[in-house]
C-alpha cells in the first residue's frame, strides 16, 4: 500500500508545483517585486555577516604573538641592568626574553637611521636598554597579560612596559561590534521577510476565496488547500536567498579593489571572502524554513477566518 501512496504524493506535489509556477509566471511583475524585496532584506544581514567574517579572518591572520617591550632606566649600569633582566626572567608568565643593551640599541639605531656620524658628537647615549618578553600561553589571555604587565612595571629599574599589539585588540573589539550589528540586522530583516511573505500569501488567499470554497465542498483537506501557499512561500524565500547571494557577491567584488589598495600600502596579502558552499546552503535552508513557516502561519490563519466568515 505504501508505493501507491508515495506515488500519489509525488504526483500531487509535481502537479501543485506546476500550478504554483504557472501562477507566479502569470503575475511575473508582482512576483519579481516580492523576490527583490526579500532579496534586499536578506542582503543586509548577509553582507553584515561577511564583514564580520572577513574582519575576524584578518585579525586571526595578522594577530602577532603577544610581546611586551620593557624599557629600563637609562641611569642603570650594565651590572644593574643584568640584575633587572634576571628579575624579569624569573617573573611568572615569562616564557623567553631578548635583552638589548644601551650600546647595542645605539649601534642598531646607527645602522638603519643613517645618522652614524651625527650621533658620535653626543656626550651621552640617549637610548635605553630594552627587554623584549614573550609571555607563556597561559598569559596570552588579555586579563593575564595585563596582570603580567603590571607585575613587570613594579620591578625596580623598569621605566615603562609596552604591549606591542594593543591596536590588534582594538581591531578584535571592532569585529565583535560588527558581529552584534550583524545579529541585530539578521533579526530585523528576518522579521521583514516574514512580513513580506505573509502579505503576499494573504493576498493570494483572499484572491482565491472562490477556489477554496469549491475545494472545501469537494472534501479537500486543509493540508491539501494549504500546500500551494506553502510552496509559494518557499519559492519566494529561496529565490530571494539566491538573489541575495548574488547581490552579496557583487558587493564583495566592489570592495575588493579598495581592500587591495589598503593591503598594498601595508605590504600584506589579504583578499575578501564571499559566501562559502556550506554558508550558501545554510542560507538557502534558512530561507526555505522562513518561507514555509511564514506561509503556513498566514495561510492557515486566513483560511480559518474565511471558514468562520462563511
Amino acid at each position: 500500500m505504501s508505493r501507491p501512496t508515495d506515488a500519489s504524493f509525488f504526483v500531487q506535489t509535481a502537479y501543485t508545483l506546476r500550478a504554483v509556477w504557472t501562477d507566479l509566471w502569470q503575475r511575473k511583475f508582482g512576483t519579481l517585486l516580492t523576490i527583490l524585496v526579500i532579496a534586499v532584506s536578506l542582503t543586509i544581514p548577509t553582507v553584515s555577516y561577511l564583514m564580520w567574517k572577513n574582519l575576524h579572518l584578518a585579525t586571526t591572520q595578522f594577530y602577532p604573538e603577544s610581546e611586551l617591550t620593557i624599557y629600563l632606566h637609562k641611569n642603570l649600569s650594565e651590572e644593574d641592568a643584568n640584575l633587572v633582566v634576571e628579575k624579569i626572567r624569573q617573573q611568572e608568565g615569562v616564557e623567553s626574553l631578548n635583552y638589548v643593551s644601551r650600546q647595542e640599541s645605539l649601534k642598531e639605531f646607527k645602522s638603519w637611521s643613517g645618522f652614524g656620524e651625527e650621533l658620535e658628537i653626543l656626550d651621552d647615549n640617549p637610548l635605553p636598554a630594552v627587554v623584549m618578553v614573550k609571555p607563556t600561553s597561559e598569559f596570552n589571555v588579555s586579563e593575564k597579560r595585563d596582570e603580567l604587565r603590571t607585575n613587570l612595571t613594579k620591578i625596580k629599574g623598569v621605566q615603562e612596559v609596552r604591549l606591542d599589539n594593543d591596536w590588534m585588540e582594538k581591531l578584535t573589539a571592532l569585529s565583535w561590534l560588527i558581529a552584534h550589528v550583524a545579529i541585530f540586522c539578521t533579526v530585523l530583516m528576518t522579521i521583514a521577510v516574514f512580513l513580506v511573505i505573509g502579505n503576499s500569501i494573504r493576498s493570494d488567499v483572499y484572491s482565491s476565496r472562490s477556489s477554496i470554497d469549491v475545494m472545501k465542498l469537494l472534501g479537500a483537506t486543509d493540508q491539501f488547500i494549504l500546500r500551494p501557499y506553502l510552496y509559494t512561500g518557499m519559492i519566494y524565500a529561496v529565490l530571494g536567498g539566491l538573489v541575495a547571494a548574488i547581490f552579496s557577491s557583487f558587493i564583495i567584488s566592489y570592495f575588493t579593489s579598495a581592500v587591495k589598495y589598503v593591503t598594498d600600502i601595508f605590504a600584506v596579502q589579504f583578499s575578501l571572502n564571499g559566501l562559502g558552499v556550506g554558508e550558501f546552503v545554510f542560507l538557502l535552508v534558512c530561507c526555505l524554513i522562513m518561507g514555509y513557516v511564514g506561509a503556513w502561519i498566514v495561510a492557515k490563519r486566513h483560511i480559518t477566518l474565511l471558514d468562520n466568515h462563511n
Side-chain angles (χ1 to χ4, degrees):
M1 293 295 292
S2 61
R3 290 182 178 176
T5 302
D6 293 340
S8 175
F9 173 78
F10 287 116
V11 168
Q12 290 180 15
T13 300
Y15 173 80
T16 306
L17 280 174
R18 283 197 300 269
V20 168
W21 274 113
T22 302
D23 181 61
L24 291 176
W25 181 254
Q26 287 177 349
R27 47 191 178 91
K28 48 184 172 292
F29 183 72
T31 301
L32 179 62
L33 287 180
T34 302
I35 292 172
L36 287 177
V37 172
I38 294 173
V40 171
S41 300
L42 293 173
T43 300
I44 296 174
T46 304
V47 171
S48 299
Y49 165 74
L50 290 176
M51 288 176 59
W52 171 82
K53 172 186 171 182
N54 283 282
L55 186 58
H56 182 69
L57 288 174
T59 56
T60 304
Q61 180 175 339
F62 301 119
Y63 205 113
E65 291 186 349
S66 297
E67 194 172 79
L68 296 165
T69 301
I70 304 173
Y71 298 94
L72 306 184
H73 284 289
K74 289 189 293 184
N75 57 1
L76 292 176
S77 64
E78 190 64 28
E79 183 180 352
D80 292 337
N82 288 328
L83 292 175
V84 174
V85 171
E86 285 303 314
K87 291 181 181 179
I88 295 173
R89 194 189 306 274
Q90 296 170 8
Q91 183 68 42
E92 182 186 5
V94 175
E95 180 177 320
S96 62
L97 59 81
N98 181 30
Y99 171 61
V100 181
S101 66
R102 295 184 65 195
Q103 291 74 20
E104 290 173 341
S105 297
L106 183 61
K107 184 178 179 181
E108 290 182 5
F109 182 74
K110 286 180 179 179
S111 64
W112 63 262
S113 67
F115 294 107
E117 295 181 359
E118 289 79 357
L119 293 174
E120 294 293 340
I121 64 175
L122 296 176
D123 296 332
D124 186 30
N125 182 358
L127 301 178
V130 178
V131 183
M132 286 167 285
V133 172
K134 179 182 177 182
T136 60
S137 57
E138 180 186 355
F139 280 78
N140 264 326
V141 184
S142 180
E143 294 78 8
K144 283 284 189 179
R145 195 164 55 242
D146 291 339
E147 178 185 340
L148 175 61
R149 185 179 185 177
T150 302
N151 293 335
L152 290 172
T153 306
K154 294 177 180 177
I155 296 177
K156 187 176 181 180
V158 172
Q159 182 177 13
E160 185 182 1
V161 180
R162 290 185 181 179
L163 184 61
D164 294 339
N165 53 3
D166 281 344
W167 68 276
M168 289 302 299
E169 290 191 348
K170 295 175 182 177
L171 189 60
T172 303
L174 179 61
S175 71
W176 282 112
L177 174 62
I178 294 178
H180 284 83
V181 172
I183 293 172
F184 177 77
C185 290
T186 300
V187 173
L188 195 62
M189 293 301 105
T190 299
I191 296 173
V193 170
F194 275 115
L195 293 175
V196 172
I197 293 175
N199 183 66
S200 179
I201 296 300
R202 180 188 63 82
S203 300
D204 291 346
V205 170
Y206 277 102
S207 64
S208 304
R209 282 180 294 181
S210 57
S211 300
I212 294 173
D213 292 337
V214 171
M215 285 189 286
K216 286 282 188 179
L217 292 174
L218 294 176
T221 62
D222 288 343
Q223 187 59 36
F224 181 82
I225 297 173
L226 280 172
R227 190 177 298 171
Y229 304 108
L230 299 180
Y231 292 166
T232 300
M234 289 189 289
I235 290 172
Y236 278 144
V238 170
L239 291 180
L242 286 171
V243 178
I246 295 172
F247 285 169
S248 301
S249 65
F250 282 142
I251 294 173
I252 291 296
S253 300
Y254 175 77
F255 284 107
T256 297
S257 59
V259 171
K260 186 178 184 305
Y261 175 75
V262 174
T263 54
D264 288 344
I265 292 177
F266 287 94
V268 295
Q269 294 292 326
F270 182 77
S271 58
L272 292 177
N273 293 281
L275 289 174
V277 176
E279 294 164 335
F280 176 69
V281 172
F282 179 76
L283 173 63
L284 294 185
V285 170
C286 289
C287 290
L288 199 67
I289 294 173
M290 285 191 294
Y292 181 90
V293 173
W296 186 86
I297 293 173
V298 175
K300 182 71 175 177
R301 179 175 179 273
H302 286 90
I303 289 175
T304 304
L305 289 176
L306 289 178
D307 290 341
N308 294 335
H309 183 71
N310 294 332

